[in-house]
């Protein structure tokens, strides 16, 4: 194995001119902006940042695309990047000022640098090659609704942050991308209020800007696998390297093994993935592969992929597409789940597709009705989030594999959750992230709930700033902060304080007093409050009786959800 050294600037240039490419086995870009922030912090301080692994081969290999634009100026065979994609793509986006493009969506990575950061390390930062489920909190969340003084107080100890308008407007925060693209310090120093060499911070700030630009000179060690290695050998190395420290999800490793046995398969997977996304089911490739594994092996674990032949994989993929199409159509047409965002877990589709395939896509009408009820109930109860999701999915598949039906799926669900009905206590303290919130939307939509002004039926598919569906705090957050500051955030954001309306109506209500804006809706035609189980007693529309309002609405929502699930 050969070894080489390349600076960050050289590696970024290699991506741009396509002398460094991605083999088909590589997953898509997954890092959140906070990961990029931490990477920059490590490089700025000169901390170790890992090794880059590549493969130099003359054998034709199916390729994947970087998430940043490239120009294709390379001459000869490119090097293939096996480990380091997330780091180098992130650095390429920041240094070049390019948007990241993933599954047809583009977004910037804008990181700010604090010219006045403390010299000592004030934060522990870690860099990962994987982001699990994209559920981390961004810097912009931390400063939401804070005044300028509070922002300064919390952020002054940081060296890098994910950009926000509030911070970008402050004199000591500068865009990393702009610094990298601008050789002169003048603009940044003037923004910080430094207009001459005699300013006490002139030397410190110019030294820090130089150090920031020096990230481009940071040298990575690059290991290069020999040309004599086969694609299968390189895939095995890729899997082993990325298995250490659980850097990749099992689905990513399975994809690498599948593409090794079946070159060109990635483009087929991505084409079908785009078709599903167009229909409102934007699933990651792992969900598609999980369906294929379930059809082929009658269980859900990816560990078996390595033993499957190309012929089996091709046949399994044909069956998986049919099963997943059926599952999506069933969920949308029979259960009114019009978008994957309304599912507590996409694993529900694997169970649906496997069930349909076992029934040869001709289930009895009564069993299909039972499956609809099971789907909605399991979704409301968050079946696949109560333990190891893979283990729970395996239980469902085993039930169907061994001849069980929907009744047995209900038995497993009841064993897991204890009871199938919804009680007010199940809702208490839940927020918009809850699976029950998704079920609440489905029940209200079935009741014909509408926006309180436009009369457009609530729909997750509504588009445009005016009508796009939003959830609204019936007692607005700002109103409660002013009048009931003793309330906990969980009480303010409780599911029983949320309703579904369009963006324009939400902005018009803003932080108005519920005692002012709600009474006209009590007597409005079409019962707009009743269709969303909002109590209609005006005596309850005061901050003094807010908790009483929540308790009553919890009971109303629970009753409605039970009727919905049992219908």
């Amino acid at each position: 194995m050969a070894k080489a050294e390349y600076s960050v600037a050289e590696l970024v240039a290699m991506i741009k001119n396509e002398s460094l490419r991605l083999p088909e086995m590589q997953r898509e870009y997954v890092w959140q902006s906070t990961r990029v922030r931490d990477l920059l912090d490590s490089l700025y301080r000169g901390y170790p940042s890992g090794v880059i692994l590549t493969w130099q081969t003359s054998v034709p290999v199916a390729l994947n695309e970087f998430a940043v634009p490239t120009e294709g100026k390379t001459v000869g065979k490119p090097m293939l990047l096996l480990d380091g994609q997330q780091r180098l793509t992130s650095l390429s986006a920041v240094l070049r000022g390019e948007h990241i493009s993933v599954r047809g969506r583009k977004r910037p990575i804008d990181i700010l640098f604090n010219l006045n950061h403390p010299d000592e390390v004030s934060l522990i930062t870690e860099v990962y090659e994987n982001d699990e489920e994209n559920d981390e909190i961004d810097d912009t969340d931390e400063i939401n609704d804070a005044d300028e003084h509070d922002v300064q107080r919390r952020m002054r100890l940081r060296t890098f942050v994910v950009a926000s308008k509030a911070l970008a407007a402050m004199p000591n925060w500068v865009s990393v991308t702009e610094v990298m693209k601008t050789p002169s310090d003048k603009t940044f120093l003037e923004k910080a209020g430094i207009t001459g060499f005699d300013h006490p911070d002139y030397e410190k700030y110019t030294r820090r800007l130089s150090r920031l630009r020096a990230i481009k000179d940071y040298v990575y060690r690059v290991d290069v696998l020999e040309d004599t290695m086969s694609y299968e050998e390189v895939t095995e190395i890729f899997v082993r390297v990325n298995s250490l420290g659980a850097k990749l999800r099992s689905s990513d490793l399975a994809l690498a093994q599948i593409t090794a046995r079946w070159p060109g398969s990635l483009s087929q997977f991505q084409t079908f993935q785009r078709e599903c996304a167009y229909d409102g089911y934007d699933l990651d490739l792992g969900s598609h592969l999980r369906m294929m594994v379930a059809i082929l092996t009658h269980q859900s674990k990816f560990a078996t992929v390595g033993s499957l032949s190309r012929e089996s994989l091709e046949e399994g993929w044909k069956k998986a597409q049919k099963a997943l199409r059926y599952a999506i159509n069933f969920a949308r047409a029979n259960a009114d789940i019009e978008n994957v965002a309304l599912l507590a877990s996409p694993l529900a589709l694997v169970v649906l597709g496997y069930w349909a395939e076992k029934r040869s896509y001709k289930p009895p009408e009564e069993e299909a009705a039972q499956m609809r009820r099971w789907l909605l109930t399991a979704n409301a109860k968050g079946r696949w989030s109560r333990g190891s999701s893979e283990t729970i999915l395996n239980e469902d598949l085993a039930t169907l594999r061994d001849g069980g039906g929907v009744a047995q799926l209900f038995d497993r669900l009841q064993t897991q959750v204890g009871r199938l009905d919804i009680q007010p206590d199940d809702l208490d303290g839940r927020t918009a992230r809850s699976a029950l919130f998704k079920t609440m939307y489905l029940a209200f939509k079935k009741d014909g709930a509408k926006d309180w002004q436009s009369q457009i039926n609530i729909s997750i598919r509504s588009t445009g700033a005016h009508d796009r569906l939003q959830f609204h705090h019936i007692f607005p957050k700002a109103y409660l902060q002013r009048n009931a500051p003793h309330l906990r955030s969980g009480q303010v954001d409780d599911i029983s304080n949320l309703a579904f309306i369009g963006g324009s109506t939400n902005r018009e209500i803003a932080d108005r007093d519920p005692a002012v804006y709600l009474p006209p809706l009590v007597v409005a035609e079409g019962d707009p409050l009743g269709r969303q189980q909002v109590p209609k007693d005006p005596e309850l529309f005061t901050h003094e009786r807010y908790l009483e309002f929540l308790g009553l609405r919890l009971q109303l929502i629970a009753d409605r959800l039970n009727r919905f699930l049992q219908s």
Side-chain angles (χ1 to χ4, degrees):
M1 181 170 62
K3 301 183 185 299
E5 290 186 342
Y6 291 94
S7 69
V8 166
E10 289 172 325
L11 290 166
V12 167
M14 291 169 70
I15 291 175
K16 183 178 180 181
N17 65 30
E18 295 189 358
S19 56
L20 187 63
R21 300 293 305 273
L22 289 179
E24 186 180 31
M25 70 181 73
Q26 279 279 18
R27 58 178 169 167
E28 63 186 17
Y29 182 82
V30 298
W31 265 16
Q32 289 285 296
S33 295
T34 45
R35 300 289 196 225
V36 186
R37 172 202 66 195
D38 291 352
L39 173 63
L40 290 170
D41 194 276
S42 292
L43 298 182
Y44 178 73
R45 301 178 191 281
Y47 293 170
S49 181
V51 177
I52 305 298
L53 180 62
T54 65
W55 180 33
Q56 186 79 63
T57 180
S58 58
V59 176
V61 173
L63 299 174
N64 203 350
E65 296 296 327
F66 275 102
V68 290
T70 58
E71 296 181 359
K73 295 179 179 178
T74 187
V75 176
K77 294 290 183 180
M79 275 200 303
L80 302 181
L81 180 61
L82 300 178
D83 188 42
Q85 179 207 166
Q86 307 299 323
R87 285 169 286 166
L88 297 188
T89 302
S90 301
L91 291 169
S92 184
V94 173
L95 268 61
R96 294 167 52 195
E98 298 284 3
H99 282 52
I100 292 289
S101 179
V102 179
R103 289 156 69 177
R105 294 193 294 267
K106 293 184 178 182
R107 63 177 176 86
I109 296 183
D110 194 1
I111 308 297
L112 299 179
F113 173 72
N114 183 6
L115 287 169
N116 200 35
H117 69 78
D119 288 323
E120 68 276 8
V121 179
S122 57
L123 285 173
I124 298 175
T125 57
E126 298 181 1
V127 179
Y128 303 91
E129 280 288 334
N130 186 29
D131 173 51
E132 294 295 336
E133 303 300 329
N134 297 336
D135 59 354
E136 63 183 303
I137 297 175
D138 219 344
D139 293 322
T140 50
D141 295 322
E142 188 169 334
I143 65 173
N144 189 37
D145 294 330
D147 59 29
E148 182 174 331
H149 175 74
D150 195 37
V151 170
Q152 289 177 327
R153 179 179 61 82
R154 281 191 274 164
M155 295 296 164
R156 68 188 177 206
L157 298 180
R158 295 196 174 188
T159 304
F160 295 89
V161 299
V162 179
S164 70
K165 290 183 179 179
L167 287 177
M170 295 181 183
N172 58 302
W173 289 96
V174 296
S175 165
V176 174
T177 296
E178 292 305 314
V179 172
M180 294 297 185
K181 294 167 65 175
T182 309
S184 171
D185 294 341
K186 181 180 178 182
T187 301
F188 311 111
L189 294 176
E190 287 180 349
K191 182 190 177 192
I194 297 176
T195 57
F197 300 121
D198 56 346
H199 192 283
D201 289 326
Y202 175 84
E203 183 180 351
K204 179 173 72 172
Y205 285 7
T206 54
R207 184 174 66 251
R208 288 178 172 181
L209 287 168
S210 176
R211 184 178 167 192
L212 176 61
R213 292 191 183 95
I215 287 176
K216 293 187 288 187
D217 301 321
Y218 181 96
V219 174
Y220 274 108
R221 194 189 89 197
V222 179
D223 291 342
V224 185
L225 300 180
E226 293 89 348
D227 189 13
T228 55
M229 287 188 171
S230 67
Y231 193 93
E232 287 73 18
E233 287 180 295
V234 170
T235 301
E236 179 64 21
I237 293 172
F238 173 81
V239 170
R240 291 191 182 197
V241 167
N242 287 287
S243 295
L244 299 175
K247 287 183 178 180
L248 291 183
R249 294 172 296 181
S250 57
S251 58
D252 296 317
L253 300 177
L255 179 61
Q257 293 175 312
I258 290 170
T259 56
R261 281 179 168 75
W262 182 11
S265 57
L266 178 62
S267 62
Q268 294 192 39
F269 301 152
Q270 291 174 330
T271 297
F272 183 67
Q273 182 185 31
R274 287 191 293 268
E275 290 177 12
C276 294
Y278 181 79
D279 290 333
Y281 279 76
D282 191 0
L283 305 165
D284 64 26
L285 280 180
S287 297
H288 293 268
L289 299 181
R290 187 86 67 180
M291 186 78 256
M292 179 171 68
V293 170
I295 293 293
L296 284 173
T297 66
H298 308 287
Q299 56 84 51
S300 70
K301 293 186 177 180
F302 287 114
T304 58
V305 165
S307 63
L308 298 174
S309 67
R310 171 170 177 165
E311 291 73 20
S312 296
L313 292 169
E314 290 189 31
E315 183 62 26
W317 177 237
K318 291 178 184 177
K319 292 181 178 180
Q321 290 178 83
K322 183 176 182 179
L324 200 51
R325 280 196 181 99
Y326 181 99
I328 290 172
N329 289 332
F330 185 98
R332 185 172 51 213
N334 290 38
D336 294 323
I337 300 175
E338 56 195 330
N339 191 288
V340 70
L342 297 172
L343 285 175
S345 170
L347 296 182
L349 297 174
V350 179
V351 181
L352 265 178
Y354 186 78
W355 165 76
E357 206 266 346
K358 294 287 286 184
R359 298 295 185 270
S360 301
Y361 303 98
K362 298 177 182 178
E365 182 178 359
E366 182 177 350
E367 186 176 357
Q370 290 177 327
M371 177 54 81
R372 172 192 177 276
R373 182 171 170 241
W374 175 86
L375 171 63
L376 291 171
T377 307
N379 197 53
K381 289 290 186 176
R383 165 130 173 92
W384 300 276
S385 62
R386 294 170 176 250
S388 168
S389 57
E390 191 175 73
T391 300
I392 295 170
L393 175 59
N394 265 340
E395 291 178 357
D396 293 334
L397 297 179
T399 298
L400 297 171
R401 180 193 65 215
D402 297 338
V406 181
Q408 286 69 41
L409 290 178
F410 268 112
D411 289 343
R412 282 198 174 275
L413 178 61
Q414 188 161 9
T415 299
Q416 178 194 32
V417 302
R419 52 179 170 74
L420 301 182
D421 66 328
I422 307 296
Q423 295 294 323
D425 286 349
D426 298 329
L427 296 161
D428 190 20
R430 300 295 185 94
T431 67
R433 291 179 176 267
S434 168
L436 288 168
F437 184 70
K438 304 172 191 293
T439 306
M440 194 168 88
Y441 163 83
L442 293 172
F444 293 174
K445 188 174 188 299
K446 186 175 179 63
D447 289 341
K450 303 177 186 293
D451 175 75
W452 292 342
Q453 291 181 354
S454 70
Q455 304 307 315
I456 293 178
N457 285 13
I458 64 171
S459 174
I460 200 170
R461 287 179 173 265
S462 293
T463 60
H466 189 278
D467 299 317
R468 183 176 292 114
L469 189 68
Q470 297 182 355
F471 61 83
H472 158 69
H473 288 73
I474 300 170
F475 280 68
K477 294 179 70 171
Y479 166 84
L480 289 175
Q481 288 169 356
R482 289 195 306 270
N483 296 284
H486 61 281
L487 292 173
R488 301 188 308 273
S489 60
Q491 292 173 310
V492 174
D493 294 326
D494 193 279
I495 197 172
S496 53
N497 190 32
L498 303 179
F500 301 98
I501 57 178
S504 179
T505 303
N506 200 10
R507 287 187 292 275
E508 184 169 323
I509 293 173
D511 61 350
R512 292 173 62 193
D513 188 335
V516 174
Y517 87 86
L518 282 177
L521 295 173
V522 172
V523 297
E525 183 180 358
D527 194 16
L529 296 184
R531 293 189 185 196
Q532 299 204 42
Q533 303 301 315
V534 178
K536 291 180 283 188
D537 180 0
E539 298 294 326
L540 296 174
F541 299 160
T542 64
H543 62 86
E544 292 90 351
R545 300 186 67 179
Y546 172 66
L547 294 180
E548 187 179 347
F549 170 90
L550 291 188
L552 179 55
R553 189 163 186 247
L554 280 176
Q555 184 65 61
L556 291 173
I557 293 172
D559 291 343
R560 179 64 192 102
L561 294 189
N562 285 322
R563 294 194 304 274
F564 173 72
L565 294 176
Q566 293 164 11
S567 64

